[in-house]
């Protein structure tokens, strides 16, 4: 009701002041915010259409401002209308409400750049200067999870602008981080996994030795810092349940096509090991036990680990993604999973021998995924019939 009332007020204001860019900007921002609120209450297919309508409202506000700007005194000329359009294209007209879950529309960035460049004469340079300068000024107000996306989008508008040099330093730092650390997934054994049995998936961090040294290692991503009786210090960042956050993200990415049997994390005291490439190291992170939901499954999708790093504006969360992995799940049985160092203990229970019944408990341990019982031991004892097998 509140949104409806506000929209009615602004509709009347637009009728009274049809050339006011400020009123049109307020209406576009309200429409965008109302659409996000409706989507939170009830997800519908109308969201994209309504969002596009609100973004067109921002473009109209910019056109009204451009028609008026030459008549404005210099101290009243501002880049607010372009900045608000930019924030809305990132997910919310209020910069503080943009989060890693809000939906961006990258098609708006070239439109914003074009709108600024089409201002007459010196006005185009003046407004681009203001917009570029705001990139770094507003950075500290952002949710840490969207700083990288914010700067990447901002530089599509301002390019290599002198007024954005401080923001460019931070953005270059983010880009360097992305090139120095990668999330990798590796199938435990052959990629012919079949769809009748589960298979294992290693998740590892591959990184340079320099980034490991600068960040103090990656053991914190194996912690749930808000749980348990342990005390954690997160170097100026809020405490985070890193393991839980990755598990939620992985389940969301995998659950459509895979049955997730388990997710096992390395212990916090894990050490990195040298990679085959000089200067690079690998830190084991997790092991996933997955079973394809059908023979049509042909790949493991990208997994994401959110990693946070300190910067000049506080800290930023950089999502590190793995590449999709092709698999062959078409056969019922895939290739045997690798295992080694198997120890088998067999315990014979003779308590019911007088009734002609013997029980044999078989316990197998080893490194890797243990195969089925009949692949480990000979289950054809002479002079006995097997009446039942219980596999726990």
């Amino acid at each position: 009701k509140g949104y409806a009332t506000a929209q009615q007020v602004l509709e009347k204001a637009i009728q009274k002041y049809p050339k006011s860019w400020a009123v049109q900007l307020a209406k576009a921002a309200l429409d965008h915010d109302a659409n996000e609120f409706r989507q939170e209450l009830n997800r519908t297919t109308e969201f994209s259409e309504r969002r596009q309508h609100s973004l067109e409202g921002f473009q109209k506000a910019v056109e009204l401002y451009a028609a008026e700007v030459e008549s404005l005194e210099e101290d009243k000329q501002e880049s607010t209308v372009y900045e608000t359009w930019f924030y809305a294209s990132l997910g919310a007209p209020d910069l503080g409400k943009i989060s890693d879950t809000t939906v961006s529309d990258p098609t708006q960035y070239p439109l914003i750049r074009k709108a600024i460049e089409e201002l007459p004469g010196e006005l185009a340079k003046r407004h681009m200067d203001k917009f570029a300068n705001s990139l770094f000024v507003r950075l500290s107000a952002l949710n840490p999870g969207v700083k990288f996306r914010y700067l990447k989008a901002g530089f599509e508008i301002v390019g290599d602008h002198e007024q954005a040099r401080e923001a460019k330093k931070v953005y270059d730092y983010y880009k360097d981080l992305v090139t120095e650390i990668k999330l990798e997934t590796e199938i435990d054994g052959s990629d012919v996994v079949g769809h009748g049995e589960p298979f294992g998936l290693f998740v590892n961090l591959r990184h340079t030795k320099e980034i490991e040294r600068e960040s103090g290692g990656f053991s914190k991503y194996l912690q749930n810092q808000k749980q348990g009786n342990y005390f954690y210090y997160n170097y100026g960042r809020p405490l985070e349940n890193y393991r839980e956050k990755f598990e939620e993200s992985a389940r969301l990415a995998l659950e459509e096509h895979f049955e997730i049997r388990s997710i096992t994390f390395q212990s916090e005291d894990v050490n990195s090991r040298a990679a085959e490439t000089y200067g690079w190291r690998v830190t084991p992170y997790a092991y996933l036990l997955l079973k394809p939901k059908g023979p049509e499954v042909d790949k493991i999708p990208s997994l994401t680990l959110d990693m946070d790093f300190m910067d000049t504006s506080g800290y930023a969360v950089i999502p590190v993604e793995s590449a999709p992995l092709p698999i062959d799940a078409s056969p019922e049985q895939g290739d045997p999973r690798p295992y080694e160092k198997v120890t088998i203990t067999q315990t014979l229970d003779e308590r019911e021998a007088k009734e002609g019944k013997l029980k044999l408990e078989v316990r197998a341990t080893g490194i890797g995924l243990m195969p089925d019982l009949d692949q480990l031991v000979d289950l054809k004892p002479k002079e006995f019939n097997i009446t039942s097998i219980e596999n726990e």
Side-chain angles (χ1 to χ4, degrees):
K1 289 181 179 180
Y3 281 115
T5 301
Q7 285 170 327
Q8 288 174 6
V9 170
L10 284 170
E11 287 286 359
K12 292 179 180 178
I14 287 175
Q15 291 175 10
K16 190 172 183 180
Y17 307 103
K19 295 183 179 180
S20 170
W21 65 267
V23 174
Q24 177 60 45
L25 181 64
K27 177 67 165 58
L30 185 69
D31 289 345
H32 194 287
D33 198 45
N35 185 38
E36 292 285 339
F37 181 67
R38 288 193 190 98
Q39 189 71 356
E40 287 178 17
L41 296 179
N42 182 28
R43 301 183 72 84
T44 69
T45 56
E46 299 174 2
F47 171 77
S48 296
E49 184 179 342
R50 289 198 296 249
R51 183 184 62 178
Q52 182 60 36
H53 175 74
S54 70
L55 290 172
E56 290 171 358
F58 287 105
Q59 189 168 5
K60 185 175 180 181
V62 162
E63 291 170 356
L64 291 172
Y65 176 78
E68 182 185 342
V69 66
E70 286 186 283
S71 63
L72 296 175
E73 297 177 10
E74 185 172 335
D75 61 345
K76 292 184 179 180
Q77 296 171 3
E78 53 187 78
S79 61
T80 303
V81 64
Y82 303 100
E83 292 167 18
T84 310
W85 184 9
F86 173 53
Y87 304 154
S89 69
L90 288 170
D94 181 349
L95 190 62
K97 290 184 178 180
I98 302 172
S99 72
D100 50 2
T101 59
T102 52
V103 182
S104 301
D105 184 356
T107 63
Q108 301 298 306
Y109 312 148
L111 298 177
I112 298 169
R113 179 185 178 99
K114 182 181 178 184
I116 298 175
E117 290 176 339
E118 288 180 345
L119 290 172
E122 182 67 18
L123 291 172
K125 180 181 182 304
R126 189 177 303 156
H127 283 75
M128 189 64 83
D129 288 350
K130 291 176 182 289
F131 189 98
N133 185 62
S134 74
L135 281 181
F136 182 75
V137 172
R138 304 290 173 83
L139 191 60
S140 58
L142 273 168
N143 180 313
V146 298
K147 287 183 178 180
F148 182 67
R149 174 158 56 106
Y150 164 83
L151 289 176
K152 182 180 180 182
F155 282 106
E156 287 189 37
I157 296 171
V158 303
D160 193 17
H161 199 287
E162 175 62 21
Q163 291 292 332
R165 61 185 178 278
E166 292 301 321
K168 188 69 163 58
K169 291 177 184 177
V170 178
Y171 182 52
D172 288 343
Y173 168 65
Y174 293 163
K175 288 196 297 182
D176 287 343
L177 289 174
V178 173
T179 61
E180 289 191 42
I181 187 163
K182 307 176 188 299
L183 190 68
E184 290 187 340
T185 51
E186 179 186 352
I187 298 168
D188 186 8
S190 165
D191 59 4
V192 182
V193 299
H195 59 274
E197 296 292 336
F199 67 95
L201 182 74
F202 293 105
V203 181
N204 301 321
L205 281 167
R206 180 180 289 267
H207 49 83
T208 62
K209 57 184 180 183
E210 290 81 10
I211 198 71
E212 181 181 21
R213 183 176 62 250
E214 289 175 16
S215 61
F218 304 107
S219 61
K220 74 174 185 178
Y221 297 103
L222 292 161
Q223 300 170 352
N224 279 336
Q225 298 178 337
K226 297 179 182 179
Q227 297 176 2
N229 298 320
Y230 295 100
F231 173 77
Y232 291 105
Y233 176 67
N234 205 11
Y235 303 96
R237 282 150 278 192
L239 296 181
E240 183 67 78
N241 289 338
Y242 291 104
R243 265 177 35 174
E244 188 177 278
K245 192 173 180 181
F246 173 78
E247 183 167 345
E248 289 176 2
S249 170
R251 289 187 182 278
L252 191 63
L254 295 166
E255 62 186 5
E256 182 178 356
H257 298 295
F258 294 91
E259 179 186 329
I260 305 168
R261 294 286 181 89
S262 66
I263 299 179
T264 306
F265 290 90
Q266 288 284 342
S267 60
E268 292 182 28
D269 58 357
V270 64
N271 293 313
S272 65
R273 59 175 182 260
E276 65 279 2
T277 306
Y278 177 77
W280 286 77
R281 300 187 66 80
V282 174
T283 299
Y285 185 67
Y287 187 85
L288 282 62
L289 193 59
L290 308 174
K291 181 175 178 293
K293 290 185 175 180
E296 72 283 352
V297 179
D298 61 358
K299 68 178 178 181
I300 299 168
S302 295
L303 302 181
T304 303
L305 177 64
D306 287 339
M307 309 189 75
D308 50 60
F309 298 91
M310 298 300 292
D311 62 30
T312 54
S313 64
Y315 76 100
V317 177
I318 311 294
V320 183
E321 293 186 347
S322 66
L325 272 185
I327 60 171
D328 182 1
S330 54
E332 174 71 22
Q333 291 295 125
D335 292 342
R337 297 297 98 193
Y339 62 95
E340 60 182 350
K341 298 183 179 179
V342 177
T343 301
I344 296 178
T345 305
Q346 302 185 68
T347 306
L348 187 66
D349 183 351
E350 300 176 313
R351 286 175 294 180
E352 300 179 54
K354 291 182 180 180
E355 301 171 16
K357 183 185 293 186
L358 292 179
K359 291 183 179 178
L360 180 66
E361 180 184 281
V362 181
R363 179 179 178 83
T365 60
I367 298 175
L369 294 179
M370 293 296 98
D372 287 338
L373 187 62
D374 58 1
Q375 296 176 21
L376 284 170
V377 296
D378 182 4
L379 290 177
K380 297 178 181 178
K382 295 178 180 179
E383 301 178 357
F384 285 90
N385 294 321
I386 298 175
T387 57
S388 66
I389 297 176
E390 294 180 10
N391 188 350
E392 298 179 358

